[in-house]
Structure formats: C-alpha cells, structure tokens
Amino acid sequence: MFGALPLFFMELALGQFNRQGPITVWRICPLFKGVGFCAVTVSYFVSFYYNVIIGWSVYFIYWSFSKNLPWVGCHHGWNTDNCSVQANISSGRSPSQEFFSRAVLETYKSEEYDLLGPPRPALVVCVALVYTVLYMCLFKGIKSSGRVVWITALMPYVIIIILLLRGVVLPGAAEGVKFYLQPDLSQLSNMQVWNDAAVQILFSVGAGFGVHLTYASYNEFNNNCYRDCLIATGVNSMTSFMSGFVIFIYLGFMSHQRGVPIQHVATEGPGLVFQVYPEAIATLPYPQLWAVLFFSMLIMLGIDSGMGGLECVITGLMDEFGARFKSWHLHRRVVTLFVVGSSFLVALTSLTPGGIYVFTWLDTYSAGLALLCSALFEAIAVGWVYGSHVLARDIQQMTGSTPGLFWRCCWKFISPLFLGSVLVLGVVFSGPLSYDGFEYPLWATALGWTYALVPALFVPHWITA
C-alpha cells in the first residue's frame, strides 16, 4: 500500500506519458538520470542468477520423464550413508535433498566458497537453452515477447489450480492451511522481516527494476494506467495468496508424512522448490505427471519474468545509445545478443560445484539493498524533483481524472519515508550471510555490499558529473 503500489502506478504513468525507456525517461529531471542507470543495472544483475533457477527447472523436468523419479530412494550412486527414506527424518538427509545437492549441484566437490570448480555440462546445456529461448523472444522487440507472454502468464494459473485441487484431498492439507493462515505476529518486531517483505513485494510487483517504465512506454497515450495498476497489483496479490495455499497444502502433507512440525519441513530459497516440493510430488499417484506440471509452471513463470528484466536492459540501452549503436552498425539483434550472452557468461559461475554459494550471494546482494535503493531514488526524484503535482497533472491529461490525495501523499512523503526506513533498518540489522550452515567469509560479505552499492552509485555520480 505504501511502497510497491504507489511506485508501480508512478512507473506506469511516467513510461506512458513520456514514451521513453527506463533511462531516457529521466529527461524529466536530468540530474536524476542516474536513477535510470540504477534500475537497468539492477535488472541486469538479477538476470545473472534468476535464469539459473529456470535452468534447474529444465534439468528437473528432464528427469521427470524417468520411469522412476531420481529423487526417490537412497539406492543411487550419488547417495550417502546419511540418506534416509524414513517418514520421520530426525537426522540425515532425504533423497530429494541429496539429489539436489549432490546429483544436481555437486556441492560435495567444492568445500570452500572460493573453490568453484568447472561448470557442470548438463546444467550448462539447460541454462544455455533458457538463454536461447530468451534471445529468440527478445531480439525482434516488444511485439514478439508480447505474444509469448500470453502463454507464459496464463498457463501457470491452469497448473496452479490443478495442483490445488489435487492437494486439498491429501492428509495433512488442513494443517498446512491452518499454519499458513495463522502467522506469528511476534515476528513483526524483527526488522529483517520488514526488509524481506519490502524486497519481496517490490520483486513480485516489479517496481524499481524499470520494467514497467519500459512496457508502459509502448502504451497508447490515453490508456487508463490507473486501472491497469489496480488490476495488475490486485491479480499479483491474489495469485501470491492462492499460491500460498498450494505451497502450504503440500507442506502440511509432508509434515503428516514425516511426523514432524510444519516449520521443520518448510525451508527458504531453492530448497523449498527443488527439495521439499519434489519429495511431496513423488508420493502422489503418477508422480511423473505432477512433476512435469510443476516444473513446467516454474519454467513459464521464469521465462515471463526473465524476458521483462532483460527487455528493460535492452530497451534502456537502445533508447539511450541508439544513435551511437547505429553509427557502429550495431542493430537490436546484436545488442540483444551481447546482453543475453554476457548475462549467460556470469551465470556460468552458479553452475559450478561451488555455484550455490555464488547463487546465494548474488540473490542476497542483487535484489536486496540495490533494489530498495532503486525504488527509493525513483520515489525521491519524482516526488521532490519532478513533483508529485506535475505527475498528477500528467495522469489527468492522459486519463481525464486527477489522482487522489492518497497517491500524491505517497509519492511525496509516505513512499520515500517508508522505503528509506526499511533500507536503513535492513542494513543496520542485517546478519552474517550463510547457506546451509556455511557462513561466508568476511571478504565475501564486504564484496557483496560493494556489489550491491554499484547500481546506487550511478545516482550521485550523475548528479556530480
């Protein structure tokens, strides 16, 4: 209400009124042109690890066509003596955990953060396939990607509904729903919860990335962007809420199967998607069918978001440096190939035996502090430099109605204050970075904060240039 929603509306209005990309749109207040570079850089940084998730999904969907799912049982070559198929796993690791960590990631081959090893060929092929699809969807421009979105955005709803209908009849499903709908309100005193929530909703809505500035620049001038804002954010929130039922129904089922509390089953990050959920699916009749449906949904959702982020980068570069590219005979196809190809090269670091540590590092510092900085600078630039009253006048010119007092107050006061507070508290109360019991060395944490600040530094650099 006070962060993502006002920014989403603001980005739609700015892009539609000025009909410019995420960088050139800041001609409205040239001193803050660095905000555009900040947003584009954040989108580019996120692509380094986000498309790896889609690649993992491709790898899983390949194995989902096996006669026997490989994450079932402890008789495989990658399993260890700690593997346990018992319902109540008090010690040891489940077959799905060992499949993901040992067969997919091969983390046992890298005991140190800085000893990555060579990329795994199978994962390289899967991620290369993802980047190839992204390039084919993007190199012709917005029209080709717009057609793809009709499939990638709508089909996941069909799969979510199918998974939901199948899950409600499972034993333990009711306990999962109860756990989902009864949050622990004492967690609201934890500042990290607020930081995580702010980053998550900005990531979910897409505010701060410059993606909506990019897409809105292709709208008709008189398009009702206010209606689009309410519909898009409403659908987004309802989709997240419905997806929560799907997730926790199966977590309740896993809790029932193992005989342990739900909080001991649930995990964060890739573990939930690639360890817990596959294990739950494997216990259903015709598990291959459910595995194919689930990972197909992940791939379509990932391709959809991946296209948006890279389109933002490509459009931003083409709008800002189009004349220079033309003088160098660099057309959109070449620029798209460079953006997609360079992102793929960085993503290779996450496909090594030590790649999960790089992945976690990128996930933490690409979409955390950097995204909050991008959103905060956007709110300040529009609310205080361009002027919330000027933006309201622009919207009135496009839609015929002036935004209410709530929106104008959010753009000028509430959103900058809220985002700034969350950002500061998130930095102050941030704990040491760790993954699966491994605590990152001090130099990796320091490098991470430096990496996160790179996009934000465009703003003061441009002001003082």
Side-chain angles (χ1 to χ4, degrees), residues 189-258:
S189 61
N190 183 353
M191 291 300 104
Q192 190 61 39
V193 168
W194 288 91
N195 182 266
D196 291 344
V199 171
Q200 171 59 30
I201 194 61
L202 288 174
F203 202 99
S204 179
V205 172
F209 290 103
V211 175
H212 301 307
L213 282 166
T214 302
Y215 283 142
S217 67
Y218 296 96
N219 283 346
E220 296 291 337
F221 183 79
N222 293 321
N223 176 64
N224 191 339
C225 55
Y226 176 66
R227 177 198 60 198
D228 291 348
C229 169
L230 296 182
I231 291 176
T233 52
V235 170
N236 175 75
S237 295
M238 291 307 299
T239 302
S240 298
F241 188 58
M242 182 173 67
S243 299
F245 281 100
V246 178
I247 294 297
F248 279 89
I249 279 174
Y250 284 90
L251 288 178
F253 171 59
M254 286 303 302
S255 172
H256 176 81
Q257 291 286 96
R258 292 185 179 183

Side-chain angles (χ1 to χ4, degrees), residues 311-373:
E311 178 62 42
C312 169
V313 179
I314 296 164
T315 299
L317 294 177
M318 292 301 298
D319 285 355
E320 179 67 15
F321 305 107
R324 188 176 301 177
F325 289 153
K326 187 175 292 186
S327 67
W328 295 341
H329 305 289
L330 298 178
H331 302 290
R332 180 185 169 95
R333 297 187 180 195
V334 179
V335 175
T336 302
L337 181 61
F338 172 77
V339 172
V340 172
S342 59
S343 177
F344 170 69
L345 290 177
V346 179
L348 290 177
T349 60
S350 295
L351 308 181
T352 61
I356 189 62
Y357 304 119
V358 179
F359 174 90
T360 304
W361 186 87
L362 289 170
D363 183 26
T364 301
Y365 296 110
S366 295
L369 174 67
L371 180 57
L372 286 172
C373 285

